[in-house]
Amino acid sequence: MELIITEKDNAARRIADILSGESAEADRQNGVNVYKWGGKRCIGLSGHVVGVDFPPEYNDWRDVEPVELIDASVEKQPTKENIVRTLRLLARDASRVTIATDYDREGELIGKEAWELVREVNEDVPIQRVRFSSITKNEVSSAFENPDELDFDLAAAGEARQIIDLIWGAALTRFLSLSARQLGNDFISVGRVQSPTLKLIVDREREIQAFDPEEYWEMFADLQKDDEAFESQYFYRDEDGNEAERVWDEETAEKAYETLESATQATVDSVSRRTRTDSPPAPFNTTQFIRAAGSLGYSAQRAMSIAEDLYTAGYITYPRTDNTVYPDDLDPEELLDTFVGNYHFGDDADGLLEQDDIEPTEGDEETTDHPPIHPTEDIPTKGELGDDEWDVYELVVRRFFATVAESAKWEHLKVVSTVGDLTLKANGKRLLKEGYHAVYPYFNTSENYVPNVEEGEDLSIIDTRIEDKQTQPPRRYGQSRLIEKMEKMGIGTKSTRHNTIQKLYDRGYLESDPPRPTRLAQAVVKAAEDYADLVVSETMTRELEEDMTAIAEGEADLEDVADSSREILATVFDDLEESREEIGKQLQQSLKEDKTLGPCPECGEDLLVRQSRRGSYFVGCDGYPDCTYTLPLPNKGKPLILDETCEDHDLREVKILAGRSTFVHGCPLCKAEEAEEAEDRIIGECPQCGEGAGSESQRDEGGETAEEHGGELAIKKLQTGSRLVGCTRYPDCDYSLPLPRRGEIEVTDERCEEHDLPELVIHNDTEQSSAGQSDESDDGDEPWELGCPICNYEEFKQRERKSGLEVIDGIGAKTAEKLAEAGIDTIDDLKDAEAETVAEQVNGVSEDRLRNWQAKAD
């Protein structure tokens, strides 16, 4: 029996279909899919199924000093027991093993892990390696016809990264967390790559905070020839002879504007035209792909997740690549020809094939592992992909089209005019030849019209204006720009940079997008700079990356590099240990600042966001137990304290992070006061304790008095900002029904015949997050006809009972079946699931989709 091992289950399914002519059948063993046909078996791993860790005696943070981890032994242990067990069972009977993991450093290491697991149970079986850049019939078939051997040097480079990252991350994380007394789920995470990345972001934030704006003035005049008007701007020559538009002295600006404002004509001094060639872009490498996807609104993590799904499905080439030069064996005409006749891309492909010469563009980086990202000959229909997947797929296709398209041409027209001793300029541009823009509509092609004028011609001045402006601070790095910066500085790799940014978000170091560092992030960076600068040094990180490259090329030894890294970390700890107390105080103060809202209205101490033992969040006074003042917060999501401050209470506003249901809660004290002031709106009788809830005889037999009945239903607003329909006899009667958090509630004259309650309509609601409703409406301006609140809630409960997971928008019957096979049968199962693990087990379901479903489930 031949055993084929791939990196993930969806790759196993795809490769099995290709090699078997789609005759392979899936068999479940230990909860793992095994694809079989003839004498072959194919199993997908779940990325790394073996992990590196310290021996168990190092697990207790309080009993083991962090510095001890530097020289601790590192051992390998299975992390996915069911997959490892299944792989071993299959390997025992294998007569040949083929490793078909991704072709990069990480994939080679995963392949080596599989090699070691096979060798544990079968010492003599031949093991071969196949490599490909796209999971298409041609590439996969060719790879299996020309197998190779595992590259143990490349795998060793990946293993070195694992070991070094474990030692650095664990030792430094424990040291900082213990120093700040921050244990449990709120530990302070530090990493070899994430720390210098964080410093980049913190340094930019410091520039923004230190920025001192300067005032300047700009002047404009609208000129007119016949009926055609265009804008001109005042300029002058600075000391270096360059054109300058900003006037830095107010008196000078006002004097110049007086001249401009009083004039009625401007005389054309010069007219110049030039034609500029606009060359097509280079092929996509990972960084440029992430940048382009970012312009479409996709985070780096999301863009790569979608690209990986498209790669596994066989629609694009491997998305982790530095290469910007197509390989010699790629025939652009042949690939273009596969798109001829396609509904979405056929016309563009036809037009490109009609060109006299098809010569692809080239970037600066040429490597031999993977080609630039481009589409394969397997073209999906739009219906086979989700909206996000189609967006990214079309981006990749059109980038390929652009790289084989002709250059565009622009005409630039510059008109310089004079008004007395003042000079004005107008810059027009016109697209003469569309070129690659016709097939790649992601770049700005807006034109600026300036009419044809002649030197010496007089133009009417029909309007003038002066604008008082200020210089602006540097912009925060967007995710794609940050990844470009990391690439230039040698921080991380093409495979890890987007994950590093996501980890910084997950660890509570970053908020918003573009990323902004929290106070904790700034304190961690400052502590490192003050006491152990190597922790945030990109130089050290870059040198380690170079060492790992040397390992991959057989020029260095894994053990030597790891030992060298241990020595560097030991010198870091020499400095840290001397300043443990100071570091702890610094971090504790920043942690408190990140949780501080403002002054307590009762005692003046700080109000802090706290977490109860049950995990819910609330606002409590730092003066506790002397002051017991508290305010509630919404019971779902994680609070994030914003910079905006309430004018009435001097408290910072709060945002609740809850996936797609994220919303700004505002000032907690305002919400509490609004709830206190809001009058309950009675809408009917309580079905649980109202007058009609039971007969007089039933009440008498039960020993209840009339005072225990007579409850009414009212629309209530809670101090958490939530709203509900609840009984007026609360807490004696706890009957309640959920309502959307936002939107004006209209009580209509229409009544429910069954429950005798008015039907409700929600206006301008953008959340619609009550029972079973989608988190987002199709149109936030359209009223939502909620109807009878009891009927709405009962319909939701019925859907939940009937279809389980299918109550979540986006989960259909087939997907629910796939999830059930992975052990996810209920909403609670979905909430508790690890997105990464499930995504690797369930075909066609990415981590991002799972996290979106989990947010909806909450």
Side-chain angles (χ1 to χ4, degrees), residues 495-507:
S495 300
T496 62
R497 293 182 186 112
H498 63 284
N499 286 324
T500 297
I501 295 172
Q502 188 59 46
K503 284 180 182 177
L504 293 174
Y505 275 106
D506 294 341
R507 300 290 189 246

Side-chain angles (χ1 to χ4, degrees), residues 460-480:
S460 299
I461 299 177
I462 59 175
D463 189 28
T464 60
R465 57 196 168 277
I466 184 170
E467 296 182 1
D468 182 355
K469 299 182 178 181
Q470 287 187 331
T471 54
Q472 298 299 307
R475 296 168 58 187
R476 293 187 177 97
Y477 295 119
Q479 291 192 34
S480 57

Side-chain angles (χ1 to χ4, degrees), residues 691-806:
E691 292 295 340
S695 66
E696 288 296 331
S697 60
Q698 288 173 326
R699 293 175 198 160
D700 291 342
E701 288 172 6
E704 298 173 347
T705 67
E707 292 180 356
E708 294 172 319
H709 293 272
E712 294 180 296
L713 286 185
I715 297 174
K716 297 172 173 283
K717 188 167 187 177
L718 307 183
Q719 291 188 354
T720 61
S722 299
R723 299 184 297 191
L724 54 77
V725 172
C727 183
T728 55
R729 293 187 57 252
Y730 179 83
D732 296 320
C733 176
D734 61 0
Y735 184 84
S736 67
L737 301 164
L739 286 175
R741 174 178 292 274
R742 295 183 180 176
E744 181 184 347
I745 301 175
E746 177 191 355
V747 181
T748 71
D749 294 332
E750 301 291 329
R751 300 190 74 83
C752 171
E753 294 181 4
E754 181 179 355
H755 302 108
D756 194 30
L757 291 178
E759 296 187 359
L760 306 180
V761 174
I762 313 296
H763 293 277
N764 296 321
D765 175 60
T766 58
E767 289 193 21
Q768 298 195 4
S769 56
S770 93
Q773 299 297 325
S774 169
D775 290 327
E776 295 181 0
S777 62
D778 293 333
D779 187 344
D781 294 329
E782 290 294 322
W784 173 28
E785 296 181 0
L786 181 73
C788 166
I790 295 180
C791 289
N792 177 63
Y793 187 65
E794 288 180 347
E795 287 172 8
F796 161 67
K797 296 300 287 184
Q798 184 178 1
R799 286 197 304 272
E800 191 177 49
R801 286 191 299 269
K802 181 179 179 181
S803 53
L805 293 172
E806 293 175 54

